[in-house]
Amino acid sequence: MMLALGFFVFMRQTLPFQSMQRDAEYRWPSNNRVGKRDAFQFLGVGEEKITLSGELFPELTGGHLTLTALRLMAEEGRAWPLLAGTGLIYGMYVINSISETGTEFFADGSPRKITFTMTLTRVDESLAAVYGDLNKQADSLVGKAKEAATKLTSSLGF
């Protein structure tokens, strides 16, 4: 698995991408000052976008059906969790655009090669807002494990 967007898994058989570009903006507006440099103020995190692009060869990889599946996901108007194959959680993303170009056609008009680009935009506040405080969750799990161990040892007579 290279990447997963919701239940859609990017891999060689579905939609293998050859490039992934991640852009994050940070908002720093300026105020003019007389006789001094402009004053800057940090207003917070701006947009975060990921662009995936690559080439599909329908005989070997995914093709129109996989792009159609992603188009259907986009038409639902929902945000989807984006996870890397390494386990990295990127956050919740919406599909902004999908473009494809078919070239080198078979006799029936279907392309032998499909070049695609897909743009995703992050829409969650932060990972903590999406998944909660992981430290609190871990403490809760440890507490529950201790309770279960105490019950087990007391029932065994230790």
Side-chain angles (χ1 to χ4, degrees):
M1 172 181 102
M2 299 169 72
L3 195 68
L5 180 66
F7 294 111
F8 185 88
V9 178
F10 291 83
M11 58 186 174
R12 194 174 79 198
Q13 296 84 358
T14 60
L15 201 67
F17 53 89
Q18 282 78 43
S19 106
M20 177 177 176
Q21 179 181 341
R22 185 176 179 191
D23 296 314
E25 295 177 3
Y26 303 93
R27 298 179 296 147
W28 284 92
S30 64
N31 291 315
N32 295 328
R33 298 188 302 178
V34 177
K36 294 183 180 181
R37 289 187 184 165
D38 291 352
F40 289 84
Q41 181 179 8
F42 181 64
L43 292 184
V45 179
E47 283 192 352
E48 186 171 331
K49 291 185 179 258
I50 291 181
T51 302
L52 304 173
S53 59
E55 295 177 341
L56 301 175
F57 299 92
E59 295 174 304
L60 305 172
T61 63
H64 281 295
L65 288 177
T66 53
L67 289 169
T68 300
L70 285 166
R71 280 182 165 57
L72 291 172
M73 287 174 66
E75 289 174 8
E76 285 189 30
R78 294 182 46 196
W80 304 92
L82 184 65
L83 309 163
T86 61
L88 175 66
I89 302 168
Y90 286 105
M92 299 295 287
Y93 281 78
V94 295
I95 300 171
N96 286 100
S97 66
I98 301 171
S99 66
E100 65 181 277
T101 303
T103 57
E104 303 174 24
F105 297 93
F106 289 106
D108 67 355
S110 61
R112 291 181 187 191
K113 178 179 167 185
I114 301 170
T115 304
F116 72 92
T117 301
M118 179 176 167
T119 304
L120 308 169
T121 301
R122 186 172 177 180
V123 295
D124 60 270
E125 288 289 321
S126 68
L127 289 179
V130 173
Y131 297 104
D133 186 344
L134 296 178
N135 195 23
K136 287 181 183 176
Q137 291 180 25
D139 288 344
S140 174
L141 289 173
V142 168
K144 289 178 182 178
K146 285 181 183 176
E147 288 175 20
T150 303
K151 287 180 183 177
L152 179 63
T153 56
S154 65
S155 67
L156 294 174
F158 292 115

